[in-house]
Amino acid sequence: MTKTITMAAATAGHAEGGTTLNAFDNALLAAGIGNINLIKVSSIVPPDVSIIELPKIKPGAIVPTAYAAMTSETPGETVAAAVGYALPDDPQKNGVIMEFHGVATREEAERQIRAMLDEAFSVRGETIHKMQVFAVDHTVERIGCALAAITLLAEEDLV
Amino acid sequence: MTKTITMAAATAGHAEGGTTLNAFDNALLAAGIGNINLIKVSSIVPPDVSIIELPKIKPGAIVPTAYAAMTSETPGETVAAAVGYALPDDPQKNGVIMEFHGVATREEAERQIRAMLDEAFSVRGETIHKMQVFAVDHTVERIGCALAAITLLAEEDLV
Amino acid sequence: MTKTITMAAATAGHAEGGTTLNAFDNALLAAGIGNINLIKVSSIVPPDVSIIELPKIKPGAIVPTAYAAMTSETPGETVAAAVGYALPDDPQKNGVIMEFHGVATREEAERQIRAMLDEAFSVRGETIHKMQVFAVDHTVERIGCALAAITLLAEEDLV
């Protein structure tokens, strides 16, 4: 796309909803990204990208996003979603994003992400300069969703 | 993406096919969007977008689209797909799109969409100014697909 | 998106990994597309696009890609992924891409793709000028992935 990705921002949220899609929508709202268009990407941090706090994004903006979501309709079940990124020593090389969703606790999700990022850097022959993981879990009342996301942003996406 | 979304157009279609992917392809053709590249979005109507009839879109155009599809290889089974949007009173705020697919009739799919849009607006604290639902069902002969979609379009996507 | 797709390049790869997501990541690396952001498209070759060998793509580039992947955690199982395209006689008309993934051999995957492309052209009333299929299989040791992809590229995506 012609717009240039210059920022990445992570977030996570969880919520109940009347349907699984509403639970997902509500989790997006809880995460602060419920009014934008997510396009799922698989899942690289471009070189020279700034990691920032989630900014105010224009409503309806079309935003490439690596995300994981887990919905459940089983009351009492704990579900988790997590994303994490790792950046290499050389800022001109790309970072890697990993996602996890499942019946799990937040701690288990975080551990999975770290292990996946470790392997991703090991196979690339790179060492990890910085790693950060964003995870959330949700214990279902009726219908619930846990969601974690890393948005890839351009200047024009911001309010 | 740098192109600016200024229009949204909904459509639906259903078809049989020799494989599930061909049934999906044939349903896309029946819906008039079989020769473009759909990118799945999750799923907001940007502010100030015109809702239009499905226009002629350039072959191969890459079009962010909220869509739902249900394929089935069970002869006699009725499957449905639906999308719907709701717009708020304030045209500078975004609308919301919901999708449904499943073993269901068109009427059931429509009811689901309306309920999901109601909840989406309720949690956003907005009232619905306009709501429209596009649904289709298909009773499978051998391998069938029901599909409904809302395309998000820019001027440059049109023929 | 404003960038203009002028090239398409296919590739395939397979790998083991410590998790299914790492196996997928490793298969992407084996295929030469492990350091870019794939956006899944459904799945048309735009008119007047050159089919090229996989070029060097900028790390982190956001690339619309038709892909199929099959991961398995069943040791001894053979999984396959394939993509193929067919182009019509008239270069100003679009081509079609089909994807396959499943528990299958490479030969079975290739046959599926050919049959799906034949049907896609038959229903469009076009004859196939050129067809090419890219398939790979993988016999799982512990956790494996087979992946095949056709990337849709713009000049600006290349190194």
Side-chain angles (χ1 to χ4, degrees), chain A residues 3-32:
Chain A
K3 76 175 180 182
T4 304
I5 303 299
T6 56
M7 297 161 285
T11 184
H14 64 102
E16 291 284 306
T19 66
T20 53
L21 187 51
N22 283 112
F24 175 66
D25 184 44
N26 294 340
L28 288 171
L29 287 168

Side-chain angles (χ1 to χ4, degrees), chain A residues 98-101 112 116 119, chain C residues 15-28 69-74 140 142-147:
Chain A
M98 287 285 168
E99 308 94 22
F100 171 88
H101 67 277
Q112 279 273 351
M116 290 192 289
E119 179 173 337
Chain C
E16 291 284 306
T19 67
T20 53
L21 187 52
N22 283 112
F24 175 67
D25 183 43
N26 293 341
L28 288 172
M70 182 74 185
T71 53
S72 167
E73 304 183 70
T74 305
V140 177
R142 227 173 51 83
I143 302 175
C145 179
L147 167 123

Side-chain angles (χ1 to χ4, degrees), chain A residues 1 3 36-40 60-64, chain B residues 1-11 33 36-46 49 54 57-58 60-68 83 97 99 148-158, chain C residues 1-2 39-42 64:
Chain A
M1 320 308 162
K3 76 175 180 182
I36 64 174
N37 278 301
L38 305 183
I39 293 188
K40 197 165 188 115
I62 294 175
V63 177
Chain B
M1 319 308 161
T2 306
K3 76 175 178 180
T4 304
I5 303 298
T6 56
M7 298 162 284
T11 185
I33 53 174
I36 63 174
N37 278 301
L38 305 182
I39 293 188
K40 198 168 189 110
V41 292
S42 163
S43 17
I44 293 298
V45 182
V49 154
L54 188 70
I57 303 172
K58 283 182 190 156
I62 295 174
V63 177
T65 303
Y67 65 93
V83 292
I97 300 171
E99 308 92 22
I150 296 181
T151 57
L152 301 181
L153 296 160
E155 284 296 336
E156 65 195 81
D157 296 320
L158 307 193
Chain C
M1 320 308 161
T2 306
I39 293 187
K40 196 165 189 117
V41 293
S42 163

Side-chain angles (χ1 to χ4, degrees), chain B residues 21-93:
Chain B
L21 187 51
N22 284 111
F24 175 67
D25 184 43
N26 294 341
L28 288 171
L29 287 168
I33 53 174
N35 288 314
I36 63 174
N37 278 301
L38 305 182
I39 293 188
K40 198 168 189 110
V41 292
S42 163
S43 17
I44 293 298
V45 182
D48 293 316
V49 154
S50 305
I51 309 287
I52 62 169
E53 294 289 301
L54 188 70
K56 270 196 81 91
I57 303 172
K58 283 182 190 156
I62 295 174
V63 177
T65 303
Y67 65 93
M70 183 75 186
T71 53
S72 168
E73 304 182 71
T74 305
E77 188 167 64
T78 296
V79 293
V83 292
Y85 67 83
L87 303 179
D89 284 329
D90 183 347
Q92 299 193 331
K93 289 189 174 169

Side-chain angles (χ1 to χ4, degrees), chain A residues 44-105:
Chain A
I44 293 298
V45 182
D48 293 317
V49 154
S50 305
I51 309 288
I52 61 170
E53 292 290 301
L54 188 69
K56 269 193 85 88
I57 303 173
K58 284 182 189 156
I62 294 175
V63 177
T65 303
Y67 64 93
M70 182 75 186
T71 53
S72 167
E73 304 183 69
T74 305
E77 188 168 65
T78 296
V79 293
V83 292
Y85 67 83
L87 304 178
D89 284 329
D90 181 349
Q92 299 194 329
K93 291 191 174 168
N94 62 276
V96 175
I97 300 171
M98 287 285 168
E99 308 94 22
F100 171 88
H101 67 277
V103 177
T105 62

